[in-house]
Amino acid sequence: MKHISKINSLYLLLASLLLILTNCKTQDHQQVNLQDTFPNVLDVQNTPAKPVDWDSFFFADQGAWFGFALPDSNQVGISGPFLMTNGRWLGKSILNLKFYDKDLNPINQQSVNSIYYPGKLVQEINYPNFSAKLTLIFVSSNQSLIHIEFKDFNTDTKVYPEWSGSVFSSEGNIIPATDKIVIKESAYNSELNILFHQNNISENLSHTDTTYTCILSPMKLSETISISALVSFNDDNTKISSQLIDQDIIQNPVIYLEQNNKRWNNYLNKALESNADWSNKKEYQHIAVKSVETLINNWRCPYGDLFHDGLFPSASVNYFNGFWAWDSWKHAVALVRFEPELAKNQIRAMYDYQNTDGMIADCIYSDSTYNNWLNTKPPLSGWAIWEVFKETKDTAFVKEMYPKLLKYHEWWYQYRDLNHNSLCEYGSSDGSLIAAKWESGMDNAIRFDNSTIVKINKANYAFSQESVDLNAYLYFEKQQIAKMANILGLENNFEKYTSEASKIKDLIESKMYHIQSGYYYDINLQTSEIVPVQGPEGWIPLFTQLASAEKAKTVSQIMLDTSKFCTYIPFPTAPKDDPEFSEGYWRGPIWLDQVYFAITALNNYGYTFEANEYTLQVFNRLEGLKQQAPIRENYWPLTGEGMRVNHFSWSAAHLLLLYQQQ
């Protein structure tokens, strides 16, 4: 007994030391102004050459539907804005700044240093007799503040500030008012108002339909110290619950700058929390910060028929200007680590469009006539809801979402189970093969090349192919439903879904695991044989922890085979030795959600060394990840080259989860 007591005492001592070290690590983050320690993690320095210029990117925050960039020259001011309503640049720059001396001679800047910090754009400008710092932040979802602070000036320095700007002729026109510049945008009848620190600007204003110049009254720097401007985006489609007082923002800019700093330091402190060895290294913290910036840049507030906040897959192309179901569940799991209310609203946004049968639309838009009801997406909303609860302990949110989740879960068995054997199939509402493939999330995966589709009833069709990933997700969701039922005191539901989860596990283990090859596969309903194609769907039973240790061992051996899935960047969407392996979307490229599922699968079964090794391969080998390059939609597994869309949200979400080892 004495030995046990000593062991327990030693254990307590070690636990206490670990707690102290963890607290010290957290305190170290909090003692530093993190917002100012990660400059230019992403490159947003550019000047758009034309309205459709998707190579140029921007900064947005607070769910705004417009964003700005830093000029790519020594110009003082900001580039843009880019409007997410139509995916176009309104102009090269609607806000440029210049100064004149007391004799109205232009004062040319000697140097301009442009920096994108998390949550703000900054320009540090040196003039012959003074210096200035320009900062742009978002103070709300429709208002951005530009603040200019002066320093290093002589006490009698007097200057005349001049604001100027322009818009592309095809995108809008300028209509001056007594106290502001009004820019009417053409396509959506929205407008941007620019308000300056001086109320009456009309006497000093010159303009055309697409340009304006305004020299303000002279100011003595020792008396003024700073000036501000405010850009407001107004649109009948926006659903902003409260408006800030414009003049209050301009007259008290420091308050809003401090609020921005506090919010972003909170984001970064939470995002950088990790017990992994790599979390102490700046190069890997850089990846976590880039992930947060990408997610927040893609955040949109309620607008039109979008009734809750959510994230675009990417704001850098206009065909992603909506919310997707599969993406949303993944976004929420990452967002709850640092912005829990946004995570909840991302889930709510998709459930706003749950139909009477229980189905969730594939994707939803600000104009709901474009919503895609041809298919849904794999059932991971239970995972998202449960992860939100684990992080927030918000039982009210669980209670709110539980009946909706239950209805969606049961929809699968009513409308996607051809032979009523409790193993479901992907399908579509119109009988099209392409929509059924979309429903899997793996649009052109090799396993669906020979699939056929069968009618279930008037408006529902399904593949004659039971998919292992779908049923593993449904098993996973039954477990989450049971845990939620336990929290809510619903004993009957707890027992029901616990029992059903056990049944599904047995079915998957007995029917979908192939003993000879040691891997999980889809099942052909017509022949009852496996669909002999290996893909990431085969490691989902390990991600959801339904596989036995013995089966997990054989699956992991295939995952770690260098001729198959252990490529330069691990875990592609098809094994390297498959004849169909190619650069086609889901036929070879790396998708970071599947990489995350694979690494989590390895961790689940004790392959911790391998999981850490492959996480670092992802961090070290993906093109531009540790530099300023954007996070991409997918990557080529043999080289790490980025592919397709820039600034992709679910890639960012899973990189953050990998960093945190969540």
Side-chain angles (χ1 to χ4, degrees):
M1 294 295 291
K2 289 181 180 179
H3 291 302
I4 294 173
S5 177
K6 287 180 180 179
I7 291 170
N8 286 339
S9 298
L10 181 60
Y11 173 79
L12 288 171
L13 176 62
L14 290 171
S16 299
L17 287 171
L18 181 61
L19 180 62
I20 291 168
L21 289 170
T22 302
N23 287 338
C24 287
K25 184 177 179 179
T26 303
Q27 289 169 7
D28 286 344
H29 282 321
Q30 292 173 345
Q31 288 170 359
V32 177
N33 180 7
L34 288 173
Q35 187 180 35
D36 291 340
T37 59
F38 291 96
N40 298 321
V41 168
L42 276 171
D43 181 9
V44 297
Q45 191 167 350
N46 58 74
T47 301
K50 53 188 177 182
V52 179
D53 186 352
W54 292 335
D55 290 332
S56 299
F57 198 57
F58 52 85
F59 155 66
D61 192 6
Q62 302 255 48
W65 284 74
F66 65 110
F68 294 102
L70 292 164
D72 57 7
S73 64
N74 281 333
Q75 178 71 45
V76 177
I78 53 176
S79 295
F82 184 85
L83 302 183
M84 268 74 82
T85 48
N86 60 1
R88 299 170 72 89
W89 291 91
L90 181 60
K92 287 188 175 182
S93 174
I94 62 168
L95 272 174
N96 297 311
L97 181 61
K98 195 167 186 177
F99 293 106
Y100 293 83
D101 65 18
K102 59 184 176 61
D103 299 318
L104 289 179
N105 296 312
I107 304 173
N108 295 319
Q109 63 269 20
Q110 295 175 320
S111 64
V112 180
N113 183 26
S114 296
I115 312 163
Y116 170 32
Y117 291 108
K120 61 184 179 182
L121 301 181
V122 172
Q123 285 188 316
E124 298 169 339
I125 315 111
N126 289 315
Y127 296 93
N129 297 313
F130 66 96
S131 60
K133 179 181 179 180
L134 181 152
T135 304
L136 181 146
I137 62 169
F138 283 80
V139 296
S140 71
S141 59
N142 77 320
Q143 294 167 303
S144 56
L145 169 69
I146 298 89
H147 177 250
I148 297 90
E149 180 183 7
F150 301 99
K151 58 183 181 178
D152 303 325
F153 50 80
N154 189 293
T155 54
D156 61 353
T157 302
K158 182 183 286 188
V159 298
Y160 290 79
E162 178 194 82
W163 290 102
S164 64
S166 65
V167 297
F168 293 119
S169 58
S170 61
E171 303 306 302
N173 59 295
I174 293 172
I175 306 171
T178 302
D179 61 343
K180 60 186 176 183
I181 302 294
V182 179
I183 302 175
K184 289 283 188 181
E185 186 265 337
S186 303
Y188 283 74
N189 199 32
S190 57
E191 68 178 39
L192 280 89
N193 296 331
I194 307 174
L195 192 67
F196 302 113
H197 70 284
Q198 292 183 12
N199 290 334
N200 193 330
I201 63 169
S202 58
E203 295 178 3
N204 303 307
L205 178 68
S206 60
H207 72 94
T208 68
D209 286 345
T210 58
T211 65
Y212 79 89
T213 302
C214 182
I215 299 181
L216 302 182
S217 302
M219 49 181 280
K220 193 172 182 179
L221 296 187
S222 59
E223 296 173 356
T224 309
I225 300 177
S226 68
I227 60 174
S228 298
L230 187 74
V231 178
S232 299
F233 177 75
N234 302 300
D235 189 303
D236 292 339
N237 285 305
T238 54
K239 296 176 173 63
I240 300 164
S241 58
S242 62
Q243 295 282 350
L244 300 173
I245 306 301
D246 292 350
Q247 282 298 331
D248 179 66
I249 300 172
I250 289 180
Q251 298 303 322
N252 301 285
V254 173
I255 293 174
Y256 296 95
L257 290 167
E258 289 174 348
Q259 289 176 355
N260 174 272
N261 179 258
K262 182 179 179 180
R263 178 167 60 89
W264 272 89
N265 274 330
N266 184 56
Y267 284 171
L268 299 179
N269 269 302
K270 290 182 176 179
L272 293 175
E273 287 179 2
S274 173
N275 292 321
D277 292 340
W278 51 71
S279 66
N280 289 319
K281 296 183 179 180
K282 192 72 175 283
E283 61 185 313
Y284 301 123
Q285 293 175 356
H286 174 105
I287 296 170
V289 172
K290 181 182 288 192
S291 299
V292 172
E293 289 181 341
T294 301
L295 292 167
I296 295 298
N297 275 340
N298 286 331
W299 172 14
R300 304 282 81 81
C301 72
Y303 180 88
D305 295 330
L306 298 173
F307 303 122
H308 284 93
D309 296 72
L311 271 63
F312 286 178
S314 171
S316 64
V317 292
N318 68 352
Y319 54 80
F320 273 145
N321 58 351
F323 303 161
W324 268 253
W326 211 22
D327 304 56
S328 295
W329 317 139
K330 297 167 186 176
H331 299 163
V333 174
L335 287 168
V336 73
R337 315 294 167 183
F338 66 93
E339 180 51 284
E341 290 308 309
L342 178 55
K344 294 174 191 175
N345 283 329
Q346 174 76 95
I347 295 168
R348 290 181 176 118
M350 295 309 305
Y351 271 98
D352 285 336
Y353 283 95
Q354 184 173 34
N355 70 14
T356 55
D357 292 330
M359 180 183 177
I360 301 291
D362 173 27
C363 50
I364 60 176
Y365 299 93
S366 59
D367 180 351
S368 61
T369 60
Y370 291 101
N371 291 358
N372 180 24
W373 287 100
L374 296 178
N375 55 279
T376 185
K377 277 292 192 285
L380 283 170
S381 64
W383 176 48
I385 295 165
W386 183 248
E387 290 296 315
V388 166
F389 173 75
K390 281 170 58 179
E391 197 72 21
T392 65
K393 308 305 179 191
D394 187 347
T395 53
F397 180 70
V398 173
K399 186 176 182 179
E400 172 193 348
M401 300 309 303
Y402 186 78
K404 301 175 183 181
L405 170 62
L406 216 60
K407 192 172 183 180
Y408 185 32
H409 183 82
E410 293 301 332
W411 174 88
W412 285 95
Y413 293 95
Q414 187 173 357
Y415 296 105
R416 293 292 188 270
D417 184 4
L418 277 170
N419 58 2
H420 306 291
N421 69 341
S422 297
L423 290 176
C424 293
E425 305 86 33
Y426 292 118
S428 63
S429 301
D430 68 340
S432 64
L433 276 169
I434 186 62
K437 293 180 181 182
W438 291 341
E439 187 159 283
S440 74
M442 301 182 183
D443 306 351
N444 66 339
I446 299 169
R447 60 176 160 148
F448 299 126
D449 282 358
N450 298 312
S451 298
T452 58
I453 199 159
V454 179
K455 187 173 184 177
I456 295 179
N457 55 34
K458 184 177 179 181
N460 290 280
Y461 301 77
F463 278 141
S464 59
Q465 178 172 324
E466 294 166 336
S467 288
V468 62
D469 53 336
L470 170 58
N471 289 285
Y473 292 140
L474 289 169
Y475 159 81
F476 199 35
E477 194 159 82
K478 288 182 189 297
Q479 289 192 316
Q480 289 142 358
I481 289 171
K483 287 185 282 192
M484 292 179 210
N486 190 45
I487 291 167
L488 299 175
L490 303 172
E491 185 177 344
N492 289 341
N493 275 9
F494 173 77
E495 293 175 355
K496 168 181 165 62
Y497 287 99
T498 300
S499 173
E500 288 185 4
S502 179
K503 178 183 176 182
I504 297 299
K505 176 179 178 178
D506 291 343
L507 285 171
I508 293 172
E509 289 280 72
S510 62
K511 291 179 175 293
M512 296 180 151
Y513 178 81
H514 187 243
I515 295 173
Q516 285 75 18
S517 63
Y519 205 67
Y520 289 93
Y521 300 87
D522 287 4
I523 297 293
N524 185 312
L525 282 179
Q526 295 169 335
T527 65
S528 298
E529 296 177 350
I530 64 165
V531 177
V533 175
Q534 293 178 340
E537 63 277 1
W539 59 68
I540 299 304
L542 280 65
F543 168 68
T544 61
Q545 292 182 275
L546 71 81
S548 67
E550 294 77 14
K551 291 182 173 67
K553 182 178 180 180
T554 64
V555 172
S556 65
Q557 287 171 347
I558 291 172
M559 293 170 67
L560 304 180
D561 186 337
T562 55
S563 69
K564 292 184 177 292
F565 293 105
C566 189
T567 45
Y568 178 72
I569 307 295
F571 313 124
T573 47
K576 189 172 68 172
D577 62 357
D578 192 305
E580 296 296 323
F581 179 80
S582 71
E583 294 185 5
Y585 226 46
W586 287 87
R587 303 175 78 87
I590 292 291
W591 289 78
L592 283 163
D593 61 331
Q594 303 304 310
V595 173
Y596 169 75
F597 292 157
I599 290 174
T600 303
L602 293 174
N603 268 321
N604 285 342
Y605 288 86
Y607 300 100
T608 307
F609 175 82
E610 291 84 355
N612 290 342
E613 181 181 5
Y614 296 124
T615 299
L616 288 175
Q617 284 184 11
V618 169
F619 289 167
N620 292 328
R621 294 176 178 179
L622 288 186
E623 181 186 33
L625 202 57
K626 294 192 290 184
Q627 290 78 42
Q628 290 182 287
I631 295 172
R632 302 294 291 272
E633 183 177 11
N634 42 54
Y635 294 83
W636 184 233
L638 304 185
T639 63
E641 179 186 358
M643 301 175 71
R644 299 179 177 85
V645 176
N646 294 329
H647 309 285
F648 202 71
S649 292
W650 96 23
S651 297
H654 290 98
L655 284 170
L656 181 60
L657 293 173
L658 285 171
Y659 170 87
Q660 294 188 332
Q661 279 296 290
Q662 296 283 351

